[in-house]
Each structure stands twice: as C-alpha cells, then as structure tokens.
Amino acid sequence: MYKKIFYLSLTVIFLAGLTVMLNGCATKKFVKEGMDKQDKKITQLESSIEENQKRIKEHEAKISNLSEDTQKAFAEAATAMSEAERAQVMARGKLLYSIVLSNENLKFKVDSYDLSPEAASILDEFVSVVKSENRNVFIEIHGHTDSTGSPKYNMELGAKRAESVKRYLFEKGIPLHRLSTISYGETEPIVPNDSRENRAKNRRVVVLVLE
C-alpha cells in the first residue's frame, strides 16, 4: 500500500513538473510571438519614417528650383494658419504641405476676385509640384479677410477669393473633385487687425495639400 502511495506521489510530482514545464514553454512561445510582432511593427515604422524623409527631401529639392516668390509662399504657409484652423485641418486629414497667397502677391482690387499675374505665377509652379509628385491628394483652399466691413460681407469675400483660386487650379488641370474651398472671413486672423500692416497680413488665401 505504501508503495502505491509512493508511486502515486511520484506520478503527481511528475505531472506537476510536466505541467510547469509545458506552461513555461507556452509562456516563452507567447513572449516570442509578442516580441516578433513588436519587431515587425518597429520595422514597418522605421520604413515609414524613411519613406517620409525621402519624400520631404524630394519635395524640398523641387521647391529649391522654384522662383523666389513661390519659395516664399511655401515658407510663409507655416505661419499663415491660426491655431484653431490648423487643428481643424489636422483633424480632417494628413497635411503634406501648403502655400499662402498673401495680400502682397494676390493684389485683389476692391470688389474684384481676379488673380494677379504674381499669384497666377505662384499657382502655376504649385500645380507643377503637385502634378510631378503624382499622388492622390486633396486640395483645400481657405479664404481669409481682415476685419474691414461686416462679418457677412467678409465671409462672402473670403469665399469668392478662395473660389477664384479653385477655378484657376481646375483650369490648370487639377480635377474638380479634388478641390474644395472654405471661407473663414475675418474669423481666423493670424495677427490682431489693429494696424494697416496687420490687416494686410490677414488678407490671404491658404492652399493646403492633404493626403
């Protein structure tokens, strides 16, 4: 009887040890699979970063060959949006790059929505960049005004000026379904409308390229 108990005890100990060993193997396998998945994600992320860096360098190289006015339009775009406007843009899609047409090169006359030759030249080069990259992008055009005039008038004015840019881009070969306009009127100034110089800065059209 004691022998039976002894052998039974050995069997229980053996089975317990086997269970621990199997659990240990299963845990190691689970950990290894988890690490493999993590390594794969890291590799994909590194590849994505490298691809984005490559795109940025290619884009910068293209910009460096553009006219001085167009390079300035790209450079000013970083400060041409208010914080609220920038947040709204990022919520809608991935912002690739943008340009700003300031009052300096737009030169809209009173009650006129025709683009100046300077603005048209900048947009021509902008279209060349977009077409050369050959990507399925979406272009959003924001019209802004200063605070001169009523809010309603400024909202309409911003819309008409954004539409004039949209029309020009369409005429230059950008598909209409990839173009949209938003008028902010006087609601998103980048500086206070407290001087002639500041009001000029707030009169602008921002063109954003989203992915």
Side-chain angles (χ1 to χ4, degrees):
M1 181 176 178
Y2 289 111
K3 285 185 178 181
K4 288 183 179 180
I5 294 174
F6 174 73
Y7 286 125
L8 182 59
S9 299
L10 285 178
T11 302
V12 171
I13 293 170
F14 173 75
L15 290 174
L18 183 62
T19 301
V20 170
M21 184 175 67
L22 291 174
N23 285 339
C25 291
T27 301
K28 288 180 181 178
K29 182 180 179 182
F30 176 77
V31 171
K32 185 178 183 302
E33 288 177 351
M35 291 179 67
D36 288 343
K37 288 180 181 179
Q38 196 66 27
D39 288 342
K40 187 177 180 180
K41 287 181 180 179
I42 292 172
T43 301
Q44 290 174 342
L45 181 60
E46 289 175 344
S47 177
S48 177
I49 291 172
E50 288 177 2
E51 183 64 26
N52 286 336
Q53 289 176 338
K54 182 181 177 182
R55 287 178 180 176
I56 290 170
K57 287 181 180 178
E58 290 175 350
H59 181 65
E60 289 176 345
K62 289 173 183 174
I63 291 176
S64 66
N65 294 323
L66 302 178
S67 68
E68 185 177 338
D69 285 343
T70 305
Q71 288 186 44
K72 185 179 179 182
F74 273 102
E76 289 181 349
T79 57
M81 288 188 288
S82 67
E83 290 299 322
E85 184 184 359
R86 188 177 292 108
Q88 292 171 21
V89 168
M90 296 309 292
R92 284 193 293 274
K94 181 181 177 183
L95 177 62
L96 297 177
Y97 52 88
S98 58
I99 63 169
V100 58
L101 300 174
S102 63
N103 189 64
E104 179 183 342
N105 49 49
L106 278 173
K107 296 179 180 176
F108 282 123
K109 297 178 182 179
V110 177
D111 291 328
S112 173
Y113 318 111
D114 295 329
L115 294 173
S116 67
E118 293 89 342
S121 178
I122 290 172
L123 288 174
D124 285 343
E125 292 191 306
F126 170 77
V127 169
S128 295
V129 171
V130 172
K131 287 184 175 180
S132 68
E133 293 185 345
N134 193 29
R135 299 172 68 179
N136 292 325
V137 296
F138 184 75
I139 297 174
E140 202 169 86
I141 305 156
H142 297 183
H144 297 268
T145 70
D146 60 27
S147 60
T148 305
S150 69
K152 181 182 178 182
Y153 174 81
N154 286 331
M155 194 63 71
E156 292 173 352
L157 182 61
K160 289 175 181 177
R161 290 180 172 175
E163 281 293 332
S164 69
V165 173
K166 176 183 176 181
R167 192 181 313 114
Y168 189 85
L169 294 178
F170 173 65
E171 290 171 354
K172 292 297 177 177
I174 303 296
L176 200 58
H177 69 276
R178 297 194 180 280
L179 299 168
S180 71
T181 61
I182 299 175
S183 175
Y184 286 95
E186 63 183 71
T187 64
E188 296 293 341
I190 51 175
V191 290
N193 282 295
D194 54 7
S195 68
R196 183 176 180 180
E197 183 182 58
N198 279 1
R199 285 191 292 274
K201 289 179 180 178
N202 287 328
R203 294 192 296 271
R204 67 202 188 279
V205 174
V206 183
V207 184
L208 306 104
V209 180
L210 304 169
E211 191 171 45

